[in-house]
Amino acid sequence: MALDDTKKTRDFKVVGTRPDRPDGIDKVTGRARFGADMVLPGMLTGRILRSPHAHARIKRIDTSKAEALSGVKAVVTRADFGEVPADVADVMDNCMAGDKALYDGHAVAAVAASSPAVARKALKLIEVEYEVLPHVTDVDAATRPDAPVLHEGRQQETVPKGMSANVIARSEFGHGDIETGLKQADRVVARTYRTAATHQGYIEPHACLATMGPDGKADLWVCTQGHYMVRNTCAAILGMEQGQLRVTASEIGGGFGGKTVVFLEPVALMLAKKSGRPVKMVMSRSEVLRATGPTSSTSIDVRIGMTKEGRITAGFAELRYQGGAYPGSPVDMGAMSGFAPYDLENVKTVGWDVVTNRPKAAAYRAPGAPMAAFAIESAIDEAARGFGLDPLEVRLMNGADEGTKASYGPTYPAIGLKATLEAAKTHPHWSAPLGENQGRGVACGFWFNFGGDTCVSLNITPDGTVTVSEGNPDIGGSRASMTMMAAEELGIPYDQVRTIIADTGSLGQNEVTDGSRVTFAVGLATIKAAQAAKAEMCRRAAMVWGIDEDAVEWADGAARPAGPNAGKFPPMTLKEIAAIASNTGGPIAGHHEVNAEGAGVSFATHMVDVELDPDTGSTKILRYTVFQDAGKAVHPSYVEGQFQGGAVQGIGWALNEEYIYGEDGILQNAGFLDYRIPVASDLPMIDTVILEIPNPGHPYGVRGVGETSIVPPLAAIANAVSAAAGVRMTQLPMSPPRVLAALQAQADG
Amino acid sequence: MVEVVLWGSLADQAEGARKVEVEAGTLRELLDGLGEKFPGLRPELERGVSVSIDGRIYNDSWFQPIAPDSEVVLLKRLKGG
Amino acid sequence: MRYEAPLSVEDAVAALAGQPGAHVLAGGTDLLVKLRSEMIEPEVIVDIKRIDGMKDIRAEEGGWRIGAAVSGAEMSEHEALVADWPGVVEAAGLIGSTQVQGRATLAGNLCNASPAADSVPAMVAAGAVARIVGPNGSRDLAVIDVPQGPGKTALEPGEFIASILLPARGQQSGDAYLRFIPRTEMDIAVVGCGVSLSLDSENRVSAARVSLGAVGPKVMLVEEAAEALKRRVLDEAALDDLAAACSKAATPIDDKRGTVDFRRHVAGVLARRAAVIAATRAKGENA
Amino acid sequence: MSQIHVTTKINGDETEFLCEPEDTLLDVLRDRLGLTGTKEGCGTGDCGACSVAVDGRLVCSCLMLGAEAEGREVATIEGMAKGDQLHPLQRKFIEMAALQCGICTPGILVAAQSLLERNPDPSEEEVRYWLAGNLCRCTGYDKIIRAVMETAADMRRAS
């Protein structure tokens, strides 16, 4: 595929401004329809029965009493699904347990009933006979040879013989020689770091509404980051043709990676199929926390060698991530990204993918990267501070630049890491005074960013306005970005374009809204679709003028004769061309379908001040500044919003959020009361500095911005807390009991 | 011939080599060539990989051209959130 | 399930007494959570908010009688009550969000019988008394004696709390309640501490009550802590003794909210801080 | 099990409904009256997405029974704009990008309106504590707090 390698700077008219978002009024008036807001005539309530055990063989399920209850229209268990293709077998098993329940909250049966009350009652009538098995929820415990085993036969050839079958895969990245590098060091920091599992914490629970007729045609309304993914996955599980399942994305109340997989949807479709009625399913908050896709808990060993001048001579990390009950933790992403901000001669990371009796990890914003950055950036900080060196200068000295061979292999093109560090160095935050019990920390972060399959259709209406259809749910203002890029490319005002999210019947395949891809990839396709429409409009104008179409160019919203014909005819505006479209060949549209590969990587530096209460171990965030490269900020307000939101999710991860499992393997804090995401009063304003180092892979220079902002905060806050406490914090969350214990241990010598 | 850099543990499946050479002008030829020349790589190739070609990352585009002097690095399949 | 909203105490008692497992609904901020999670499945819910007097805050014997359906927000808007018992009002004001404040009540917080209930240590320090009504008429019971353990109260079948009496505020007296939570809002107390004290003309403590929450199966009154303060000026030594007495009295557990060591230590920290605030208030200064 | 007949006023309109005794006000609003602007994020009073005002008092509609609404006045997000005139808070939230996904937005607007009715000149700290029961996972609250403060300033200037 061809990307525009335009490095030239252009003068933008719309891009870079801050117009009102097109879905704003719907969302401030309550009109916007989210997952649970849809109703259909005759609709039933679907509910799921979940395992109360962390690990148990399901010996028998008797649904007869539930089926006999008045108002119950369908009961579904795994037996209803039959064999499914291998590539969705784990998804199927996660949506509805087969032989074994693998975690507390694992779905084992479902009902559809005439009311929520009947559904609740029906669940109690389902008899499940369990044989409770030993369980393991800790990542290190799961790797021990005597650990309870979740699956036999899933270990990859990459794992040395003799390890627990829970260890699924091993990977290794890097270059140079660690031992040589360590010998050149004046100081080696070697520590083990641990992070707790956290949840994306989106405020909207999963919800969907399914219908399926006896003819096999089905419709699904769902809150998801990718309705095309939902279609493809559900079709595979239910043995349907993809074209027979139309999925419409509702507005989505947050996802952050957690809505890139299916949980309820295949079950809702099966209930709809069996009952012949529409079935709506909505998770409770406790179901969301117990049984969707939190991120990994981790255990990471790091060794950093540094000279007394601050040069990193060697960087090593061994990362163990548990990804829940099925293979596929994001450990590889952690192993590839952790040292990516640095130009290192000797670097090596080893990643271990481990299964445990926890819900299967889904993606969470830069999946895998924040934990690796926490460990590595903490070790770099400790080494630098050990020599009394400025941690920003050390990062600048070792920072990656254009031409650096990245720790994960490739050589970087133009990148923005050093720009973020330089901006941090000259920012007033860096030189502001600190008081007693206060500390300042910095850390860098990296994310790859993605592209992927993308379709955009752009239609010119008869009155000369423009509609854009895209296939990615608008999770944080992307309708505004697409509208802006279409308006920019067509040279028309923002308010003459309207962007909608099309259902799966209306466009070709679209990759999930993930990997910070939408503004980059859908934006690219929108620009290309606009370019196609412009070319067609130039052709129509050429017909009218009776000149060659190559002699027409598009500028400022109108076709203009160019070259030898320049000035011979007055420009024809988009509206004028649209008005005569029927006379010149028919409706005008542009579309673009592409696998948008070649997204540009992104870097950030975060700076944070904290204050500790030495009597209670409590941490207060005093000041926070994000410096990040956006390539080109299409709508700066929403770029800032991504920076701020990522930083605050990171603050939660660093200080309070954690999955707490009891000895019994049951989740202890399945609610927003004790799964403590940051509240407004916990926080200061989050300052942002947007840097714009254009991505050569995008016509406007856009880079994804959504994920990088969660990578540095864990380490930045740990570095700040460690500075304030005078003791190195190596375990997240840095909850008050943990900080107080560290302070007391230090005081006790 | 194109020189392909493998990630550390992948080298174990390719006779210990961190850098291997295959005859390829496109991404598809590259992936096919690798699997043919180093059967040990096949499980990982089947699980899916990403490929960095001159600093840009590709997942699926078979006909992405690769020049003989291109920098080609095999990566674990990337996933986002 | 039935919902009843009687207009008189007698009708409410009749509704409650007639049905084992009936539940009282005042603010509902605990009851509805239990209903939703299917922790309880009552046959009848008796909403007492429509009973005369339940929403009243009335002066009585120099103190304040607070109806069982008075919300935290209503208490914090009552200036005279706030002036007399700022610690109790602040404690009630710490329960949940602004939204929860619009509904949650002292009586409900007490009847929920959570060891971590915020308003209970403050009421205990204040020497508050609950008026209980039931099939056998009404009786008064000190707030400290209402909770019997996690989720258990001294209420007999058919009884409910109609009001809470905060006694007359003495001269040169002040109260305070502090709790520790991991965030700044929205959490359940990891440790709570209420202090109510009176000062003599030389600023020595003439009377004191110190209570702790979330460090035992129910809220406790710590006599040793009060003794540590009595007849002393609140200097560092007195505060150290107070803190030590509270840490010693605490019998907490390790759970998802905190550890034994943390809770013991923080019980002392909070007692010091709360005592200083209470003493400042006793001197008629703002704190 | 018999349904309860409730007469109430919702967004100024006399409204009657039948509900089950265990239905929350949130259930009634969303499932019986079609007022789905009020959201359920937790069902336990911990997220504030279901915020409404009852007799002028901000509450979580998930923590109140529908039956309790008898004789009360309920204000929801759907009643915030007057005709085609958005409330100043609604306008400011759009203008200042104080929402990303928008699921918490109705609850936050209702809560913020309740604050400004009581306190037309809140400090940043007062806004943050008032809204502490309204979780937002997208924005980090920065733009929300700024939008509320700016709206308050605008409304003070206008009055």
Side-chain angles (χ1 to χ4, degrees):
Chain A
M1 64 161 228
L3 291 166
D4 291 350
D5 274 15
T6 47
K7 285 201 178 172
K8 66 177 182 287
T9 51
R10 56 183 287 171
D11 293 325
F12 292 106
K13 290 196 172 67
V14 183
V15 165
T17 65
R18 301 176 187 240
D20 291 351
R21 61 191 287 167
D23 52 333
I25 288 173
D26 282 351
K27 286 181 177 164
V28 300
T29 55
R31 288 209 299 260
R33 285 182 306 171
F34 289 84
D37 296 343
M38 185 67 120
V39 292
L40 282 173
M43 187 175 84
L44 303 173
T45 298
R47 280 194 184 236
I48 289 191
L49 183 70
R50 297 183 180 279
S51 168
H53 304 294
H55 195 189
R57 194 168 304 287
I58 298 170
K59 298 179 76 174
R60 185 181 63 92
I61 303 182
D62 183 348
T63 60
S64 56
K65 286 183 188 142
E67 281 159 11
L69 182 69
S70 170
V72 171
K73 304 297 177 188
V75 182
V76 161
T77 66
R78 176 62 174 276
D80 291 289
F81 290 91
E83 283 291 305
V84 301
D87 60 341
V88 293
D90 283 350
V91 181
M92 170 77 260
D93 204 63
N94 196 31
C95 290
M96 190 60 75
D99 296 341
K100 291 205 293 184
L102 293 166
Y103 54 91
D104 166 39
H106 198 165
V108 296
V111 301
S114 54
S115 76
V118 174
R120 273 198 302 273
K121 206 167 169 185
L123 289 188
K124 292 189 178 144
L125 294 174
I126 298 175
E127 292 170 10
V128 186
E129 190 184 331
Y130 294 102
E131 176 195 343
V132 177
L133 302 171
H135 63 271
V136 60
T137 55
D138 178 75
V139 60
D140 288 324
T143 63
R144 292 186 195 124
D146 59 347
V149 168
L150 277 80
H151 311 278
E152 295 289 355
R154 298 298 297 270
Q155 198 165 64
Q156 291 179 8
E157 72 289 351
T158 53
V159 178
K161 298 249 180 308
M163 299 190 77
S164 165
N166 296 327
V167 181
I168 300 297
R170 177 187 183 277
S171 57
E172 183 191 313
F173 307 91
H175 53 254
D177 183 73
I178 294 301
E179 296 310 321
T180 306
L182 290 173
K183 284 196 192 97
Q184 295 161 1
D186 295 314
R187 178 190 300 267
V188 174
V189 169
R191 281 198 188 272
T192 297
Y193 302 85
R194 289 191 176 81
T195 69
T198 57
H199 194 274
Q200 300 83 358
Y202 35 82
I203 307 300
E204 183 199 24
H206 296 257
C208 65
L209 173 52
T211 61
M212 192 187 301
D215 59 356
K217 288 187 172 57
D219 285 86
L220 187 64
W221 163 268
V222 57
C223 73
T224 176
Q225 287 176 246
H227 42 309
Y228 293 80
M229 171 280 298
V230 171
R231 175 192 66 182
N232 301 351
T233 308
C234 289
I237 286 175
L238 283 113
M240 300 172 65
E241 289 166 344
Q242 292 174 355
Q244 298 303 325
L245 173 57
R246 184 180 66 152
V247 183
T248 305
S250 70
E251 295 300 329
I252 174 170
F256 317 108
K259 292 176 182 168
T260 57
V261 283
V262 298
F263 298 105
L264 297 173
E265 296 84 348
V267 179
L269 283 163
M270 184 57 82
L271 287 168
K273 182 180 180 183
K274 282 187 84 170
S275 66
R277 300 262 292 267
V279 176
K280 179 157 145 182
M281 301 188 82
V282 182
M283 279 196 194
S284 68
R285 176 57 50 186
S286 117
E287 287 181 289
V288 171
L289 288 164
R290 283 170 78 201
T292 59
T295 190
S296 297
S297 59
T298 72
S299 159
I300 304 171
D301 304 327
V302 178
R303 278 185 291 158
I304 299 277
M306 190 179 280
T307 67
K308 57 185 185 300
E309 294 78 27
R311 182 69 200 156
I312 300 170
T313 57
F316 171 80
E318 181 154 4
L319 309 97
R320 296 167 293 274
Y321 286 27
Q322 65 77 22
Y326 303 91
S329 79
V331 68
D332 295 335
M333 314 290 279
M336 288 195 285
S337 67
F339 284 106
Y342 300 104
D343 182 359
L344 304 178
E345 270 182 43
N346 305 297
V347 58
K348 179 172 163 179
T349 56
V350 177
W352 298 93
D353 179 22
V354 181
V355 293
T356 62
N357 293 110
R358 293 176 178 235
K360 161 92 172 91
Y364 180 18
R365 210 168 191 160
M371 311 80 138
F374 161 64
I376 289 164
E377 293 284 316
S378 290
I380 290 173
D381 199 73
E382 184 172 359
R385 286 179 199 251
F387 290 121
L389 297 171
D390 178 324
L392 268 184
E393 291 293 352
V394 166
R395 284 174 172 84
L396 269 168
M397 185 190 303
N398 295 286
D401 217 334
E402 184 166 358
T404 294
K405 183 173 164 56
S407 57
Y408 61 95
T411 304
Y412 286 128
I415 54 170
L417 173 76
K418 285 194 171 172
T420 68
L421 285 164
E422 293 287 356
K425 209 171 100 179
T426 54
H427 194 276
H429 184 167
W430 186 234
S431 49
L434 285 171
E436 203 184 343
N437 296 319
Q438 296 180 355
R440 177 169 297 143
V442 293
C444 296
F446 158 90
W447 188 243
F448 301 94
N449 294 329
F450 304 120
D453 283 336
T454 308
C455 302
V456 168
S457 281
L458 183 150
N459 290 290
I460 312 286
T461 63
D463 72 352
T465 47
V466 175
T467 61
V468 175
S469 298
E470 56 146 320
N472 281 90
D474 181 352
I475 203 160
S478 61
R479 284 187 189 88
S481 315
M482 298 318 139
T483 305
M484 291 171 79
M485 284 186 266
E488 182 76 51
E489 195 62 30
L490 293 169
I492 61 175
Y494 173 79
D495 58 12
Q496 290 183 13
V497 183
R498 181 165 182 189
T499 300
I500 63 138
I501 314 302
D503 64 36
T504 56
S506 306
L507 290 172
Q509 173 67 16
N510 284 279
E511 177 56 63
V512 173
T513 297
D514 71 356
S516 306
R517 73 174 218 96
V518 170
T519 310
F520 165 75
V522 184
L524 177 88
T526 301
I527 293 164
K528 298 276 183 184
Q531 287 170 351
K534 284 196 303 192
E536 179 62 15
M537 289 188 286
C538 286
R539 196 178 70 80
R540 302 290 177 95
M543 287 168 70
V544 173
W545 291 328
I547 62 176
D548 190 74
E549 65 187 273
D550 294 340
V552 180
E553 64 177 16
W554 189 270
D556 293 333
R560 295 160 198 273
N565 298 307
K568 279 192 185 163
F569 309 99
M572 280 186 79
T573 64
L574 188 151
K575 278 187 189 307
E576 287 164 347
I577 297 168
I580 56 167
S582 298
N583 312 101
T584 57
I588 300 169
H591 61 98
H592 194 70
E593 292 78 23
V594 64
N595 184 347
E597 307 217 85
V601 299
S602 150
F603 291 91
T605 297
H606 287 203
M607 189 180 297
V608 58
D609 296 353
V610 302
E611 181 171 313
L612 295 189
D613 178 343
D615 294 331
T616 64
S618 182
T619 300
K620 183 181 164 84
I621 304 288
L622 298 174
R623 184 171 184 179
Y624 203 108
T625 311
V626 176
F627 307 87
Q628 188 176 320
D629 172 19
K632 174 70 196 171
V634 176
H635 192 309
S637 295
Y638 289 101
V639 173
E640 292 161 4
Q642 291 295 322
F643 291 5
Q644 291 162 337
V648 169
Q649 288 182 332
I651 290 170
W653 198 336
L655 295 182
N656 277 312
E657 292 179 36
E658 60 180 319
Y659 264 53
I660 304 169
Y661 280 93
E663 290 292 316
D664 53 4
I666 305 301
L667 184 61
Q668 303 288 302
N669 58 334
F672 274 146
L673 185 60
D674 286 301
Y675 185 84
R676 305 181 193 100
I677 78 172
V679 300
S681 51
D682 293 342
L683 300 162
M685 295 297 183
I686 308 294
D687 295 328
T688 57
V689 176
I690 301 175
L691 300 161
E692 295 188 324
I693 293 90
N695 171 17
H698 187 279
Y700 295 172
V702 168
R703 293 175 196 272
V705 298
E707 294 175 287
T708 312
S709 54
I710 203 174
V711 182
L714 282 53
I717 296 162
N719 291 339
V721 170
S722 299
V727 52
R728 179 54 57 176
M729 299 303 298
T730 57
Q731 189 170 357
L732 300 185
M734 293 176 284
S735 56
R738 204 165 266 155
V739 173
L740 187 66
L743 287 170
Q744 288 174 336
Q746 186 201 33
D748 295 345
Chain B
M1 293 292 259
V2 178
E3 187 182 78
V4 184
V5 179
L6 308 179
W7 70 79
S9 47
L10 206 53
D12 302 343
Q13 323 299 330
E15 297 152 23
R18 283 298 299 273
K19 290 180 179 173
V20 298
E21 291 202 334
V22 287
E23 196 67 57
T26 66
L27 183 55
R28 184 187 194 181
E29 289 166 7
L30 179 93
L31 295 175
D32 287 351
L34 281 172
E36 234 159 80
K37 206 161 166 183
F38 304 100
L41 293 178
R42 281 181 199 161
E44 200 71 62
L45 293 171
E46 280 163 19
R47 285 192 287 267
V49 295
S50 295
V51 183
S52 169
I53 303 171
D54 295 324
R56 284 192 191 161
I57 293 168
Y58 299 86
N59 286 332
D60 311 299
S61 299
W62 279 358
F63 302 108
Q64 177 62 36
I66 301 175
D69 60 345
S70 283
E71 181 202 61
V72 178
V73 183
L74 231 53
L75 306 173
K76 290 287 269 191
R77 182 77 172 200
L78 298 175
K79 291 173 287 203
Chain C
M1 185 180 116
R2 284 181 296 121
Y3 166 85
E4 294 193 14
L7 300 176
S8 71
V9 167
E10 293 69 30
D11 288 352
V13 168
L16 287 167
Q19 189 71 60
H23 281 259
V24 175
L25 169 63
T29 53
D30 287 314
L31 184 72
L32 266 80
V33 174
K34 290 179 188 168
L35 274 178
R36 157 106 190 177
S37 64
E38 298 174 40
M39 270 171 67
I40 56 168
E41 292 180 41
E43 284 296 315
V44 61
I45 280 186
V46 181
D47 182 352
I48 59 169
K49 286 193 290 296
R50 292 178 193 270
I51 300 172
D52 210 27
M54 291 292 149
K55 295 290 272 181
D56 292 351
I57 301 174
R58 289 198 320 268
E60 182 177 314
E61 295 170 8
W64 294 98
R65 182 164 294 284
I66 298 163
V70 173
S71 71
E74 287 159 347
M75 286 171 62
S76 61
E77 288 161 11
H78 194 289
E79 284 180 21
L81 174 66
V82 173
D84 274 0
W85 291 105
V88 174
V89 176
E90 284 168 5
L94 289 173
I95 303 166
S97 59
T98 312
Q99 288 83 340
V100 169
Q101 282 300 299
R103 301 259 300 164
T105 66
L106 285 183
N109 200 219
L110 180 56
C111 289
N112 193 45
S114 159
D118 282 309
S119 73
V120 179
M123 286 195 283
V124 166
V129 176
R131 174 150 302 163
I132 297 167
V133 293
N136 301 319
S138 83
R139 62 181 176 122
D140 286 350
L141 185 65
V143 162
I144 181 77
D145 294 323
V146 174
Q148 297 290 299
K152 290 202 179 69
T153 70
L155 269 61
E156 301 290 335
E159 287 189 326
F160 69 96
I161 293 178
S163 64
I164 305 273
L165 180 73
L166 294 175
R169 155 62 76 217
Q171 291 297 308
Q172 287 229 84
S173 299
D175 76 329
Y177 171 79
L178 292 175
R179 65 169 183 187
F180 183 84
I181 54 171
R183 293 180 290 188
T184 53
E185 271 282 3
M186 301 304 292
D187 292 331
I188 301 292
V190 181
V191 184
C193 178
V195 176
S196 178
L197 52 75
S198 304
L199 301 178
D200 65 16
S201 55
E202 280 149 38
N203 282 340
R204 285 178 309 209
V205 175
S206 56
R209 286 169 69 86
V210 178
S211 59
L212 291 174
V215 293
K218 53 184 191 168
V219 171
M220 58 177 76
L221 187 66
V222 187
E223 306 280 0
E224 302 80 2
E227 282 306 315
L229 295 179
K230 276 181 194 162
R231 294 170 300 281
R232 296 173 77 177
V233 175
L234 279 190
D235 54 13
E236 277 302 306
L239 292 170
D240 284 348
D241 290 347
L242 166 71
C246 285
S247 293
K248 187 158 176 256
T251 55
I253 55 167
D254 281 325
D255 69 6
K256 61 192 171 187
R257 292 173 186 148
T259 59
V260 167
D261 289 347
F262 180 80
R263 285 181 155 124
R264 279 222 180 95
H265 176 80
V266 171
V269 171
L270 295 183
R272 290 179 74 103
R273 294 178 180 178
V276 169
I277 296 169
T280 307
R281 286 172 173 162
K283 291 173 196 163
E285 297 161 14
N286 285 328
Chain D
M1 190 158 56
S2 62
Q3 294 203 323
I4 300 169
H5 178 261
V6 177
T7 305
T8 181
K9 201 177 251 189
I10 295 179
N11 298 325
D13 297 332
E14 294 287 350
T15 306
E16 293 179 49
F17 59 82
L18 288 172
C19 69
E20 299 293 340
E22 67 267 25
D23 283 349
T24 64
L25 177 59
L26 177 62
D27 295 333
V28 168
L29 291 171
R30 290 183 53 82
D31 300 337
R32 296 188 185 271
L33 302 175
L35 295 171
T36 56
T38 306
K39 304 301 179 190
E40 175 167 327
C42 69
T44 50
D46 298 310
C47 80
C50 67
S51 297
V52 300
V54 176
D55 288 348
R57 183 75 71 186
L58 184 68
V59 301
C60 285
S61 58
C62 75
L63 292 185
M64 176 171 165
L65 293 176
E68 291 182 77
E70 172 67 35
R72 310 269 178 232
E73 290 195 26
V74 179
T76 73
I77 186 65
E78 285 89 350
M80 197 165 177
K82 298 300 167 220
D84 64 354
Q85 289 297 304
L86 294 182
H87 186 280
L89 277 164
Q90 293 174 308
R91 271 207 310 278
K92 190 65 78 181
F93 267 55
I94 298 174
E95 182 187 314
M96 293 183 66
L99 60 144
Q100 281 178 34
C101 78
I103 192 82
C104 71
T105 309
I108 287 187
L109 287 167
V110 168
Q113 183 183 22
S114 166
L115 169 65
L116 298 188
E117 281 166 7
R118 282 168 175 72
N119 182 354
D121 189 11
S123 66
E124 180 188 332
E125 192 180 15
E126 285 170 332
V127 177
R128 287 186 179 276
Y129 274 87
W130 184 272
L131 293 178
N134 289 88
L135 300 182
C136 168
R137 192 58 158 174
C138 294
T139 64
Y141 304 102
D142 181 298
K143 292 181 191 299
I144 292 171
I145 305 300
R146 289 180 199 276
V148 174
M149 307 264 310
E150 281 220 14
T151 308
D154 287 353
M155 289 172 72
R156 288 197 303 277
R157 276 193 290 272
S159 64

